Amino acid sequence: MRRFLDGLYGAAGLLAGLCTIGVLVSVLAAIIARQLSMNIPGTDAYAGYFMAAAGFLALASTFKHGEHIRVTLLLNSLKPAAGRKLDIFALAVGCLLASAFAFFSIKLTYDSWQFNDISTSNDATPLWIPQLSMAVGTVLFLVALIDELIRRSRGLAAATSQQTHE
């Protein structure tokens, strides 16, 4: 199960990287087209879609590599047992918030699909397509939080960038 989850987080991180390249390609295409007095409809919108997808798809991988911003000053000032309890509490609250975020992301995507909602820009993209990356990213982030909550509850050390790279 550990290998599967780590592979899932890694695949989402890889997709996030590819979406970052998508931002670059979209912006470069728009710049080159303008220099050639051409217009490629939707390049600005697609750059935005790729940027949002990169951010959401990277959530789980970034979290599991210990790269999210965390205020460790308080945790480090406590005794190990109290720090572990506070960390578990924070992860539990994070799970609650992430579950709401995932639920409403899925609902937004479903509603956009159900109502045939399309982009207001000249690309007229069905909005459920770019919103799908948000729904997938938030669900994976929730899974990563639950995964870490279980790990910490079992007494295992928090995931850090050194542990995941070794």
Side-chain angles (χ1 to χ4, degrees):
M1 184 61 135
R2 173 86 271 131
R3 284 180 45 186
F4 172 75
L5 288 174
D6 289 343
L8 193 61
Y9 306 143
L14 179 64
L15 281 175
L18 291 174
C19 287
T20 303
I21 294 170
V23 173
L24 173 69
V25 169
S26 296
V27 170
L28 283 177
I31 291 170
I32 292 169
R34 285 186 190 120
Q35 294 299 315
L36 299 174
S37 299
M38 296 171 42
N39 180 34
I40 303 175
T43 52
D44 294 339
Y46 280 97
Y49 300 152
F50 280 127
M51 188 178 301
F56 283 105
L57 291 172
L59 284 172
S61 177
T62 304
F63 175 72
K64 290 305 281 186
H65 281 88
E67 301 295 335
H68 277 213
I69 296 172
R70 294 184 63 168
V71 181
T72 56
L73 184 63
L74 180 61
L75 287 174
N76 291 339
S77 68
L78 297 173
K79 292 180 181 178
R84 184 173 163 268
K85 287 178 184 175
L86 182 59
D87 197 26
I88 290 171
F89 174 75
L91 286 166
V93 170
C95 286
L96 289 173
L97 293 172
S99 64
F101 196 19
F103 173 79
F104 287 109
S105 295
I106 292 168
K107 184 178 180 337
L108 176 68
T109 304
Y110 177 75
D111 288 347
S112 292
W113 173 75
Q114 188 176 25
F115 297 121
N116 266 340
D117 207 5
I118 60 168
S119 169
T120 57
S121 64
N122 59 2
D123 65 311
T125 300
L127 286 178
W128 69 268
I129 297 171
Q131 289 170 350
L132 192 59
S133 64
M134 179 178 64
V136 169
T138 56
V139 167
L140 285 176
F141 184 51
L142 173 60
V143 169
L145 280 167
I146 293 170
D147 178 21
E148 194 62 23
L149 178 60
I150 292 169
R151 283 177 44 82
R152 296 294 289 143
S153 295
R154 289 183 174 172
L156 299 172
T160 64
S161 57
Q162 279 94 24
Q163 288 174 338
T164 54
H165 292 303
E166 290 176 352

